[in-house]
Amino acid sequence: MNVSNYITVTFPSCSANEGFARMAVAAFAAQLDPTLEELGDIKTAVSEAVTNAIVHAYPDTLGKIVLKARILEGGVLELTVRDWGRGIADVEKAMEPLFTTGGEERSGMGFTIMEGFMDTLRVTSKEGQGTKVVMRRRIVRRGKR
């Protein structure tokens, strides 16, 4: 697919950066003229992906998170959140609703929320090497809705 625009942002895995990631993606996605609902969905999905990296990939230390956003053909927004933390032993199990390794305070709904708000979700991970979450959402131009 042809890429018409992209950004790459690297930041440490501190919780204050979750809000920054949401705003960065919202500002980037604005060029596609999404509705407020679409923008809210995108921000929520990014928030979940970044929070997963902060909480699960680097529970005891600060690490690096890379957020990439690309505009693909047909108004498709592709978002990638990558970390080099603990990794996920069983991605299929981790994607089940209510499954969590984060303790009682975590809902275990992160991947389910991402799936619900985006058109596609792909998660790849290796223990000790990190996790990559790739999400896509097509934004239909307002004049074509």
Side-chain angles (χ1 to χ4, degrees):
M1 283 189 144
N2 288 336
V3 176
S4 65
N5 199 5
Y6 65 92
I7 61 167
T8 302
V9 183
T10 303
F11 51 91
S13 62
C14 54
S15 61
N17 287 331
E18 179 270 330
F20 167 76
R22 287 172 58 94
M23 292 302 112
V25 165
F28 182 77
Q31 66 192 289
L32 292 171
D33 196 24
T35 65
L36 288 176
E37 182 179 351
E38 289 170 326
L39 201 54
D41 290 353
I42 291 163
K43 287 166 51 178
T44 300
V46 166
S47 179
E48 292 294 334
V50 170
T51 298
N52 275 356
I54 292 167
V55 171
H56 300 290
Y58 305 110
D60 304 319
T61 186
L62 283 180
K64 180 171 83 169
I65 298 174
V66 173
L67 168 65
K68 294 182 180 186
R70 303 189 314 162
I71 305 293
L72 308 177
E73 292 175 14
V76 175
L77 175 67
E78 180 183 78
L79 304 170
T80 303
V81 176
R82 172 84 167 94
D83 69 66
W84 287 264
R86 285 184 168 180
I88 301 169
D90 186 343
V91 171
E92 190 174 316
K93 181 76 174 166
M95 292 183 74
E96 291 178 6
L98 305 177
F99 177 83
T100 184
T101 59
E104 289 182 18
E105 70 279 359
R106 310 306 309 174
S107 71
M109 295 298 291
F111 288 131
T112 302
I113 290 168
M114 288 179 241
E115 280 182 310
F117 287 160
M118 302 300 281
D119 295 331
T120 64
L121 170 67
R122 188 178 74 241
V123 179
T124 55
S125 188
K126 288 189 178 181
E127 279 191 282
Q129 295 181 25
T131 301
K132 181 166 80 169
V133 174
V134 181
M135 304 175 281
R136 288 185 177 177
R137 172 85 179 247
R138 184 169 183 265
I139 307 297
V140 178
R141 293 274 181 196
R142 288 183 200 235
K144 297 182 180 183
R145 290 182 189 173

